[in-house]
Amino acid sequence: MTEPSTAEPVILAEGVSAGFDDRVLFRDVTFDVRRGEVFVILGGSGCGKSTLLKLMIGLVPPRAGRITILDTEVWATEGRARLELLRRIGVMWQQGALFGSQTLLENVEMPLAEHTGLPPAARTEVARAKLGLVGLSEAANRLPSEVSGGMLKRAGIARALALDPPILFLDEPSAGLDPITSAGLDELIRDLSRSLGTTFVVVTHELASILAIGDRCIMLDREAKGMIAQGDPRELRDHSTHPTVRAFFRREAA
Amino acid sequence: MAAPATTEGLETRQEANARVLALTGRLDTPAAAQLWPKVMAEAAGGPAVLDVAGLTALDTTGATLLLAAEGAGKDNTIRGASPQVKAVLDRVRDALAAPRPKPEPRLPILARIGMATWNLGGAMLGGVAFLGELTVTLLLSLLRPARLRFREILRHLDEAGTRAFPLTILLGFLLGVILAFQSAIPLRRFGAEIFVPNLVGISLMRELGPLMAGVILAGRTGSAYAAELGTMSVNEEVAALRIMGIDPMALLVLPRVLAGMLVMPVLSLLLTLAGLAGMAMIMGVLGFPLSTVTTQLASMVTLSDLLGGLLKAAIFGLAIAGIGCHAGLGAGRGPRAVGDAATTAVVGGIVSIILLDGIFAVAYERLGL
C-alpha cells in the first residue's frame, strides 16, 4: 500500500455548505480524502457530521459547493452515471439498516444479485466470504433481530463490502457499543484498510476510536458553523491551540 | 489442448503436466462474475495452475473465485501472486476458513406436530389470560371511575368512531341499494315487491348492520391498535410502563377496548339507517311512496330486533378491540412483527365476529327474540 499522505485524492469537497430551512449547519468546508486512508469526520453532537456524510453519498443536496468522488461530481450526475458512482461506494448505516426479514447471508447477497451476473451458487460463496471478512461466518443464517449490536454493525460492513467498493462510508461505527466490541470494530476497519486497500470515511465522536483508526481527520463545530481543524488526530490532540479542539481531545467542558 | 484459448482476462494453455489458467488485468466483481463459470469448469478438470502474475487488481469477489477454483480440483495451485494480490488472497482465505453455521437439526414429524399443538395451546391460554386480566382491570376501574382516562377514551372514540362515519354511511347506503335491488327481482315474479322493506330491514338490523360495522372496525381500528401497540412493545415502551408501575392494561388497552365497545353500536346503527335510506330510494324508483315503505317496516321490525343488533355490535366491538390490543402487545421483535400483529388483528377480528354471530343466532333463537 502506498503512503496515505502522498496518495491521490479520491474525494474532494470544495466550499461545501449545508443547513435545514433557515438554520445553517456549516459553511465553506473544504477537504480531500486520499486513496487508502482512514479519514475521520469528528465533532460534537449537532455539528452536522452525519449531514456531511449524507451529502457525500448523495442523499442530501449541499447548499453550496462541490463534492467530487472518484472524478465524478456527486450532485452534477444523474441516471446511469450516478448509479455507476453509487456502485463504487458502500455505506454502513448507524443502526446497520439490515433487512429484518432476511438472514445476514441474504442481506449480503442482495446487492450481488441485483448488480452482478454471478451464478447463484457463486453468489452465496462470495457472500460467505464477505461475512467471513468481518468475522460473522457462523452467524450467516441468523436474522438481524437475533444478533448483537456489534454483530449488526459488522454485518452492515459486510453488506457495504458486497460489491467491493473502493470507498466505504461508516456512520458512527462505535455508537451504542461497549469499549471491547468497539475496539474489535476499530481493529476490523484497520485490517480491511490494510489488506484490501479500501478507503474509509468514518463519522464518529468516539475519542478512542478516532485515535485508533484515523489517519487524518477534520473537525466540525456547531458554534463556529464550520470546520475548525484538519490533520492527523494525534497531532491535533498534542499540539492544537484551538480551545474547542483541545477541549474535545481532553474531554473537558468547553 | 493444442492452441492457447483466450477470453478477456483469461488465457488457457497446457504445460508439462498441468493446465495453466493465466488471469490478467483487473479481476474485480464484474470480471469475476463473467469468468466464474469458465474458470470453475476449467479448474474442476484436474491439476490446474492458476497463474495470477498478470493481475493488476484483485478484489474480494475475485479472490473468492480464485480460492473456489483452487479448491475445485485436486492439486490445483495458485502462483505468481504479487504482494497486494497475496494480501487480498490471504485475507479472503482466512475469511472462508472460518467455521460455518451448523445446519439446524430438523425435528421428526411427530415432535413438530407436538410442538405446534403446544404452541397453539399456549396461545389460547394467553388469550384467556388476557381476557381475564382485561375483565379485572375493567371491574377495578368501574370501582374507581376517577382512574379511567376519559381524555384517552374520547380520543379513541373520535378515531374509531367519528372518523369512520363517512365510510360507514357510504357502505351502508350502497348495501341497502344492492339488497333492495337484488331482492326486488325474484319478489317481482310473485308481485311481492312490497315486502322488500321487510326483508332488507330485518337483515340489516339483526345481521348485516353489526357484521359490516365490525368489518369496518376490524379493518380501520383493530389493525391500527395492533400496529400502534406493536410498535410500542418493539420500542420497549410497554416494558418501560410496567417498570414505572403503570399497568399497560389500564393505560393502553382499557381505553381502546371501551372505545371499541361504545363506538360499535353507533356505527352499526348508522350503517343500518344508511342502508334503509338506500333501500327507500330503490323502492321510490320502483314506484312505492315513502309512506308505504315506512308502514311496511313498522309492521315487520320491532324494537327488540334493533336492540338485539346493537347489543351484538357492542360485543363485536369488545372482541375486535381486544384482539387488536392483544396482537399488538404480543408482537415479537423486528419490523415484520408489527405487520404480523396487524394481520393477526384483522383476521382474528373478522373470524371472531362471525363466530360470535353464530353463538348469538343460537342464543336469540332459544330466547325467542
Side-chain angles (χ1 to χ4, degrees):
Chain A
M1 203 175 85
T2 44
E3 193 59 33
S5 54
T6 55
E8 60 188 303
V10 286
I11 302 178
L12 268 175
E14 297 159 280
V16 176
S17 306
F20 298 107
D21 304 324
D22 53 352
R23 201 163 72 91
V24 176
L25 268 175
F26 51 78
R27 274 192 205 98
D28 203 21
V29 170
T30 299
F31 62 90
D32 63 341
V33 179
R34 297 163 197 167
R35 187 178 294 282
E37 73 179 350
V38 177
F39 186 85
V40 180
I41 300 168
L42 55 97
S45 304
C47 68
K49 51 191 192 305
S50 286
T51 306
L52 181 57
L53 182 101
K54 287 187 180 132
L55 233 115
M56 285 197 269
I57 61 180
L59 276 185
V60 174
R63 285 213 169 156
R66 256 192 335 183
I67 293 177
T68 315
I69 295 183
L70 300 166
D71 303 321
T72 313
E73 202 187 320
V74 178
W75 285 96
T77 54
E78 289 174 340
R80 286 186 77 85
R82 194 181 174 93
L83 209 61
E84 205 49 48
L85 175 66
L86 290 179
R87 285 183 55 170
R88 300 176 71 190
I89 62 173
V91 181
M92 187 213 77
W93 305 90
Q94 198 176 128
Q95 310 292 341
L98 297 165
F99 305 111
S101 54
Q102 301 182 336
T103 63
L104 301 189
L105 190 71
E106 288 165 345
N107 262 287
V108 179
E109 271 194 68
M110 193 198 245
L112 290 168
E114 196 66 29
H115 291 300
T116 70
L118 282 171
R123 212 156 62 206
T124 310
E125 190 64 14
V126 171
R128 279 193 193 286
K130 314 281 169 172
L131 281 176
L133 284 175
V134 299
L136 284 181
S137 293
E138 276 188 288
N141 296 338
R142 290 210 241 158
L143 291 173
S145 55
E146 297 168 345
V147 302
S148 68
M151 288 162 92
L152 269 186
K153 304 230 172 182
R154 282 172 183 265
I157 293 181
R159 191 178 66 180
L161 275 173
L163 297 172
D164 279 285
I167 306 174
L168 270 190
F169 292 88
L170 311 185
D171 192 6
E172 305 263 7
S174 352
L177 298 185
D178 66 83
I180 298 173
T181 310
S182 176
L185 210 59
D186 289 345
E187 185 64 36
L188 174 69
I189 294 167
R190 285 254 54 124
D191 166 49
L192 291 175
S193 146
R194 210 167 32 231
S195 58
L196 308 180
T198 311
T199 308
F200 281 87
V201 177
V202 184
V203 167
T204 185
H205 53 220
E206 204 66 33
L207 202 52
S209 202
I210 296 161
L211 296 170
I213 61 175
D215 289 314
R216 288 191 314 132
C217 69
I218 59 167
M219 183 165 175
L220 300 180
D221 183 51
R222 190 165 61 163
E223 299 300 319
K225 296 199 188 304
M227 194 168 86
I228 53 171
Q230 180 168 23
D232 184 322
R234 287 154 292 267
E235 293 270 313
L236 289 181
R237 175 190 60 187
D238 297 336
H239 305 297
S240 176
T241 52
H242 194 292
T244 314
V245 179
R246 289 171 67 95
F248 186 92
F249 279 103
R250 290 170 191 193
R251 308 195 62 167
E252 291 163 352
Chain B
M1 196 178 287
T6 318
T7 32
E8 177 87 285
L10 173 70
E11 190 189 302
T12 325
R13 60 178 187 271
Q14 193 69 33
E15 267 179 21
N17 48 9
R19 200 165 27 254
V20 175
L21 308 177
L23 291 133
T24 51
R26 300 180 59 86
L27 187 54
D28 52 13
T29 307
Q34 210 189 352
L35 291 176
W36 196 290
K38 198 164 171 55
V39 170
M40 290 305 283
E42 294 279 353
V49 176
L50 296 147
D51 188 342
V52 294
L55 286 186
T56 54
L58 177 71
D59 72 5
T60 59
T61 304
T64 312
L65 169 60
L66 290 177
L67 293 167
E70 186 191 31
K74 222 155 79 73
D75 303 326
N76 285 2
T77 49
I78 297 176
R79 76 171 184 209
S82 66
Q84 281 100 326
V85 167
K86 193 171 179 314
V88 177
L89 267 177
D90 287 346
R91 189 66 186 78
V92 175
R93 198 190 301 272
D94 282 350
L96 285 169
R100 297 191 173 182
K102 295 179 198 72
E104 298 266 320
R106 270 180 78 82
L107 287 171
I109 182 94
L110 200 64
R112 266 184 286 160
I113 293 173
M115 199 146 106
T117 316
W118 182 259
N119 289 342
L120 187 70
M124 286 165 95
L125 209 64
V128 173
F130 181 82
L131 198 64
E133 210 183 326
L134 181 64
T135 315
V136 171
T137 315
L138 181 65
L139 292 177
L140 285 179
S141 311
L142 290 180
L143 287 178
R144 277 176 296 174
R147 291 191 58 191
L148 272 176
R149 288 167 171 82
F150 281 106
R151 282 174 59 96
E152 276 287 287
I153 297 177
L154 279 180
R155 181 170 78 87
H156 289 302
L157 280 176
D158 176 50
E159 275 173 12
T162 33
R163 285 169 199 229
F165 282 0
L167 178 66
T168 312
I169 292 171
L170 179 73
L171 266 175
F173 188 80
L174 292 176
L175 201 65
V177 166
I178 295 164
L179 280 177
F181 214 73
Q182 293 298 332
S183 48
I185 295 169
L187 286 177
R188 182 181 300 150
R189 295 177 58 178
F190 307 103
E193 281 161 298
I194 187 76
F195 295 115
V196 166
N198 307 21
L199 193 77
V200 176
I202 279 287
S203 46
L204 272 177
M205 277 184 195
R206 295 190 68 132
E207 294 297 333
L208 287 173
L211 267 181
M212 289 307 292
V215 171
I216 293 175
L217 191 79
R220 275 190 85 252
T221 309
S223 58
Y225 287 174
E228 199 180 344
L229 297 191
T231 312
M232 287 181 81
S233 35
V234 168
N235 292 338
E236 298 179 323
E237 289 170 47
V238 178
L241 280 177
R242 285 214 175 89
I243 295 304
M244 286 189 287
I246 301 170
D247 183 12
M249 222 41 178
L251 182 76
L252 301 175
V253 178
L254 197 61
R256 287 177 170 81
V257 169
L258 282 178
M261 263 179 92
L262 291 174
V263 101
M264 265 296 282
V266 180
L267 289 183
S268 174
L269 185 65
L270 200 63
L271 196 124
T272 307
L273 290 177
L276 293 179
M279 180 269 294
M281 189 191 84
I282 292 298
M283 291 304 283
V285 171
L286 296 175
F288 295 91
L290 191 61
S291 58
T292 318
V293 174
T294 49
T295 316
Q296 272 297 324
L297 261 182
S299 73
M300 183 67 199
V301 297
T302 58
L303 189 62
S304 71
D305 288 327
L306 182 66
L307 291 181
L310 296 188
L311 172 71
K312 213 154 75 165
I315 303 296
F316 288 179
L318 172 77
I320 292 165
I323 286 172
C325 293
H326 182 51
L329 288 180
R333 292 181 64 187
R336 244 169 109 173
V338 176
D340 287 345
T343 309
T344 310
V346 176
V347 173
I350 290 175
V351 170
S352 76
I353 59 174
I354 290 173
L355 276 178
L356 283 171
D357 200 35
I359 295 172
F360 269 107
V362 174
Y364 282 172
E365 156 80 30
R366 291 275 152 185
L367 294 170
L369 287 170

